[in-house]
Amino acid sequence: MEKKPHFGRREFLPREVPSISLALLLAAVLLLNALLYLYLNKFYSSLGRVETDPGLCPFGHFKFGAVKNCSPWLSCEAINREVRKLKCVGEGAVKKVFLSEWKEKKVVLSQLTNSELKEDFLHGLKMLKALQSKYVVRLLGYCEQQFTILTEYHPLGSLRGLNETLHIPKYKGMNTWHRRLMLAIDYVSIIRYLHSSPLGTLVMCDSNDLDKVLSQYLLTSDFHVLVNDLDALPLVNRSAGRLVKCGHRELRGEFVAPEQRWPYGEDVPFEDDLMPPYDEKTDIWKIPDVSNFFLGHVQGSDIVRLHLFDIHAACKKKDPAERPSAQEVLDTYRKVLTLLIREAAMPGTREML
């Protein structure tokens, strides 16, 4: 009697295994997308850096370090009694800056050096008081009579030293296209904040070359950007017909916007009274050059530049009215970051499938 072959389960095994594998891979894709969504959601909630930080104190007060309670801004008497100068760490046209100590904590003491520029100094103090937010260095106290300002100390210093900082072994892990683009987003966020500030539309006038721009901003220990110097921040008021001029001297070079340059040619001597005023779109013109510095020459930075090409071309339109707003630039930067993070995450998923 012939035995019939048993086919039973053997027929189904080859089909069952791929089905299980496919289900696991699809689950992995869904999980990866969920994690990416949570990451981006968390990232934007921190990057959004709303104008008024929930952790900020009421006007006229500050929190310092790990202290939970708010303290009043230090008065002239408190600064003279409790703050000790350690060393001079910088000097500009308006003020001299000292690394100092208050209650065993490092702070920065700024003092006017040129009495002819006291109005600039007091304007900077007024701006610092009015614009306290996540975008602006923290004010700890001031003394108008002695032309003194006390602010929080940030050991990484100004953005001038960014590339040197990123080559320190401790920070080399930060030297990526992703982190550098986040710094550029911080910078554009500050410009957007100034253009829609509680005081109105403010123009960052201390920005006639890249080095000057970088000197106005600080790099925090957690790798964010803060604006530090607000001495030259005039107000644009279109409804009142008020535009601005950044200083009273002729500005030259490709870094400044076309409307900031003398429009009447070399044959006509510069006269401040004849120089037409302009608006906040001068800040927009400079964004591509500052962002180019932020992006550096790390792996992936050229891909970022490619994605930003169109918005940067728009920033460089000769007609200021044709340039995008700071909000539009910021929105584009954020979209590019989201897109590139997704592209970085998905190739591995595609290979699994």
Side-chain angles (χ1 to χ4, degrees):
M1 194 170 177
E2 275 186 36
K3 290 184 179 178
K4 292 182 181 178
H6 295 280
F7 295 102
R9 289 186 177 177
R10 232 178 335 185
E11 242 177 74
F12 300 99
L13 277 173
R15 293 179 185 174
E16 287 177 2
V17 173
S19 298
I20 293 170
S21 300
L22 185 60
L24 289 171
L25 288 173
L26 287 172
V29 171
L30 291 171
L31 179 62
L32 184 62
N33 276 291
L35 291 172
L36 183 62
Y37 172 80
L38 290 171
Y39 168 77
L40 290 171
N41 191 48
K42 183 181 177 183
F43 169 74
Y44 282 131
S45 63
S46 64
L47 189 67
R49 305 176 79 192
V50 290
E51 283 72 15
T52 50
D53 176 7
L56 284 175
C57 296
F59 183 81
H61 296 73
F62 70 94
K63 275 195 293 192
F64 194 65
V67 177
K68 292 183 179 179
N69 297 327
C70 295
S71 302
W73 286 335
L74 298 187
S75 63
C76 297
E77 182 186 355
I79 290 173
N80 291 332
R81 186 180 65 248
E82 300 172 14
V83 176
R84 181 170 66 94
K85 290 181 186 176
L86 298 178
K87 63 177 180 179
C88 179
V89 292
E91 184 173 2
V94 178
K95 55 185 177 285
K96 188 178 283 189
V97 179
F98 297 90
L99 176 62
S100 305
E101 191 174 61
W102 175 68
K103 294 189 176 180
E104 300 183 351
K105 296 182 180 70
K106 297 286 193 299
V107 293
V108 173
L109 188 72
S110 301
Q111 292 184 320
L112 178 69
T113 54
N114 185 347
S115 59
E116 293 180 3
L117 298 174
K118 65 181 181 182
E119 293 304 320
D120 290 346
F121 184 89
L122 293 175
H123 176 75
L125 174 59
K126 177 186 173 183
M127 295 294 107
L128 197 54
K129 289 159 64 177
L131 299 176
Q132 285 295 288
S133 64
K134 283 191 173 184
Y135 304 108
V136 179
V137 69
R138 185 171 295 149
L139 178 64
L140 307 179
Y142 64 92
C143 180
E144 283 194 35
Q145 297 93 316
Q146 297 173 8
F147 298 100
T148 299
I149 299 173
L150 193 70
T151 54
E152 191 173 15
Y153 172 62
H154 293 278
L156 295 183
S158 81
L159 288 176
R160 280 173 170 169
L162 175 63
N163 288 324
E164 289 76 11
T165 298
L166 288 171
H167 283 95
I168 297 172
K170 180 181 177 181
Y171 299 111
K172 276 190 175 180
M174 297 285 195
N175 197 17
T176 63
W177 69 263
H178 173 251
R179 179 58 64 174
R180 283 176 170 271
L181 179 54
M182 286 169 66
L183 291 174
I185 289 173
D186 272 0
Y187 166 71
V188 177
S189 297
I190 292 170
I191 298 298
R192 198 271 306 167
Y193 174 61
L194 295 178
H195 288 185
S196 56
S197 82
L199 301 177
T201 301
L202 301 168
V203 181
M204 194 65 175
C205 267
D206 261 347
S207 57
N208 297 336
D209 57 61
L210 179 61
D211 191 64
K212 186 63 175 175
V213 171
L214 299 177
S215 71
Q216 309 302 301
Y217 298 86
L218 296 171
L219 181 64
T220 67
S221 297
D222 61 349
F223 270 72
H224 278 295
V225 178
L226 296 174
V227 63
N228 180 50
D229 196 330
L230 303 173
D231 294 346
L233 213 60
L235 178 70
V236 169
N237 188 339
R238 282 192 185 80
S239 60
R242 185 195 301 164
L243 299 177
V244 304
K245 287 192 285 187
C246 291
H248 304 287
R249 298 180 181 178
E250 183 178 1
L251 301 178
R252 295 176 177 267
E254 294 299 314
F255 188 82
V256 296
E259 63 271 24
Q260 292 185 279
R261 302 173 210 150
W262 180 242
Y264 303 117
E266 295 288 338
D267 296 334
V268 181
F270 176 82
E271 285 187 42
D272 184 43
D273 291 341
L274 298 178
M275 180 68 199
Y278 34 83
D279 62 17
E280 76 280 4
K281 290 299 183 74
T282 57
D283 289 335
I284 304 299
W285 171 273
K286 296 161 189 172
I287 285 175
D289 298 302
V290 180
S291 289
N292 188 53
F293 168 80
F294 278 121
L295 293 175
H297 300 286
V298 297
Q299 184 177 1
S301 62
D302 286 342
I303 300 296
V304 179
R305 286 185 179 90
L306 185 63
H307 282 275
L308 295 176
F309 180 85
D310 289 342
I311 192 68
H312 283 173
C315 291
K316 291 293 187 179
K317 294 276 189 182
K318 189 172 181 180
D319 182 355
E322 293 182 8
R323 294 174 205 153
S325 67
Q327 183 65 61
E328 289 170 320
V329 178
L330 181 59
D331 290 342
T332 301
Y333 273 42
R334 286 174 169 168
K335 286 175 185 174
V336 167
L337 178 63
T338 302
L339 173 67
L340 292 177
I341 288 174
R342 282 179 178 157
E343 285 185 356
M346 296 314 286
T349 308
R350 286 198 294 268
E351 285 170 16
M352 286 193 297
L353 291 170

